[in-house]
Amino acid sequence: MEAFPPLNPRAPFIWYGGDYNPEQWPRAIWDEDLRLMQECRFRVATVGVFSWTALQPAEERFTFGWLDQVLDKLAAAGCRVCLATPSAAQPAWLSQRYPEVLRADPTGRRRHHGWRVNYCPTSPLYRRLAAQMAAKLAERYHAHPALVAWHVSNEYAPACYCEQCAAAFREWLRRRYGSLDELNRRWWTRFWSHTYTDWSQIEPPYANGEGSIHALTLDYRRFQNEMLLECFKLEREAIRQFSPDVPITTNLMRFYRDLDYRLWAREMDVVAWDCYPSVEDEPLDIALAHDLMRSLRDGQPFLLMEQSPSSQNWQPYNTLKRPGELRLQSYQALAHGAESVMFFQWRRSRGGIEKLHGAVIEHSGRSDTRVFAEVRALGQELERLGARTLGGVTPAQVGLLFDWENWWALEDCSGPTREKRYLETLRAHYAPFWRRNVALDLVFSDSELGRYRLLVAPLLYLLKEGLAERLAAFVQDGGTLVTTYLSGMVDECDLAFEDGYPGPLRHLLGIWNEEIDALPPGRTNRLVLNDGRSFACGHLCALIQSEGAEVLGRYGEDFYAGRPALTRHRVGRGQAFYLACEPEPAFLEHFYGELLGELEIAPVLETPPGVEATLRQTARERLVFVLNHGRAPATVMLPPGRTFEELLTGRSLSGSLTLAGQEVAILAEPLASESSRRAGS
Ligand SMILES: [Zn+2]
């Protein structure tokens, strides 16, 4: 895997900065903003995210003068611009003049003007006016010296249930299925006499309407995802006609259920995301989200577009980031593939719903604050770090399969339990690798699988066409696959596979899943391994029969005691494991520990608990990020006989490294010495 070039050769440094909304403030404050930004070493300001009315106060009137001044001032201050299109919140005049642009709620009732992302993504009027604004911005600013990236809209979200959407959905279904007979067949509409006899009878899955045809719900999610993505693409094309060489992105939201970010990432030049952890999130959770973002474009570094410098305002408890936490979380982003550290926002709004959201400059307007001091210190430190981390890749041998359509189908499915725990299960299978500092990518149903040695695919309920064959080829060629209960149950229309579960994976796994037992909270079974070790299990327990797979563990209790609970099937040069139940975390630690040993997949670095280590490999060097998430000092033993340059202090290190609580180190080692070391050993 080769290192990536800088995102924009005109800005070959870590993008430090954030959202800047000068349109909310009198001009007298702008110069003070710029002075303080320079003090913090802000290098990139995101401008214009919600400025539609400021730029177009009436349909026929455009007012770019203020933005001209802002961009010129930023350029003069040495700050680059990530220029946003304002389409996430349409002006009041637009909603008033064209009420059909307003979104309809899940019962089909038209919403009133207000909030944001309150437009119908299907609306030709919305699309025309949003694309027109994007084109005007690109035409005017494409050659501006400050411009380094385009930020289209903001935090896209579905869904609209209006009449325009219903009509467009019917057309979308016609293209997808060709005939009503085919739709009825794939949707299994003879159930409850739901057969459609005319296209006009098909409605969106209204909250007060049809909710019993899973394929309809699934298709409506696909359709809304596609409509919003079309909105993004229309603005992108409007920009590209004037600004073909500047990267275009939009800001994503972690594991956001309702949009298939794998499809979005294909259309973006770079992935960007907004990192807003809750108090429950552990460093592991944030690491997993960063790994998702890096994986969406197959390892390409991403932008951390937004994070709060202090608190949020929309969580149940908006806990302050403790001293040092902002710095540690910023380096964690870089450690997992970010090329930027950016904030929402520069200056806190005086009014509106986000007036208590954290900002670099708070309502006091002062710079002698704890938050400002931390932001400034981090900016100065990142400036000293320079460009050495840029373009670094994460060479992972382990892939964790994740699929949005599978998530949708699992959530919609009625039974065998209401709690499908897709993300929780993903997290449980991620944890043993994260704790060991083993690099891992998220992989998707369309990913190239051959570069991994171990693939973990929990709860693979909906199998996309061709995936089973690709997984079989992966195992045949020497790969190791681990999958679980609830896998291989339905096709892309949520139709159960004939011949039972796990459907097209049956021969690969060498098992047949006869029944599935759902255990309520508090009821458990036991997973007993052949060596006698025993682990609690529960939630869902698949009752399987081996059809050639070796049984490695069995249930210990209930009427299915003695039946297989963990199997391995050797196929070709590889092996495929099936885990029939949800085990306690200790089992996954044990199981993956053994498997990593067997496959000789080594950690980046061995560290004590609470200390994370990741690898980013640039064209010239290996960079090992070491992050102490604990409050107490921790000592890490370095590989014997090797010397590292620590980038934040300039020290030369060998033997061991002691990190204070919340401290970070970046250990650099030239690639050349790495290869000569290997050759010599
Ligand atoms: Zn609509």
Side-chain angles (χ1 to χ4, degrees), residues 201-219:
Q201 295 157 2
I202 300 175
E203 292 182 333
Y206 294 123
N208 54 349
E210 181 63 272
S212 62
I213 304 290
H214 286 155
L216 163 66
T217 314
L218 195 53
D219 274 342

Side-chain angles (χ1 to χ4, degrees), residues 100-104 110 119-123 159-166 220 224:
E100 67 267 39
V101 304
L102 284 164
R103 199 165 271 205
R110 182 80 62 199
Y119 54 84
C120 167
T122 310
S123 161
C160 179
Y161 294 81
C162 77
E163 275 305 320
Q164 292 171 110
C165 282
Y220 201 69
Q224 282 286 324

Side-chain angles (χ1 to χ4, degrees), residues 342-359:
M342 294 171 74
F343 301 106
F344 181 86
Q345 58 181 331
W346 169 254
R347 189 180 279 276
R348 196 180 260 210
S349 311
R350 282 189 64 199
I353 195 168
E354 286 182 337
K355 68 178 178 295
L356 294 186
H357 192 287

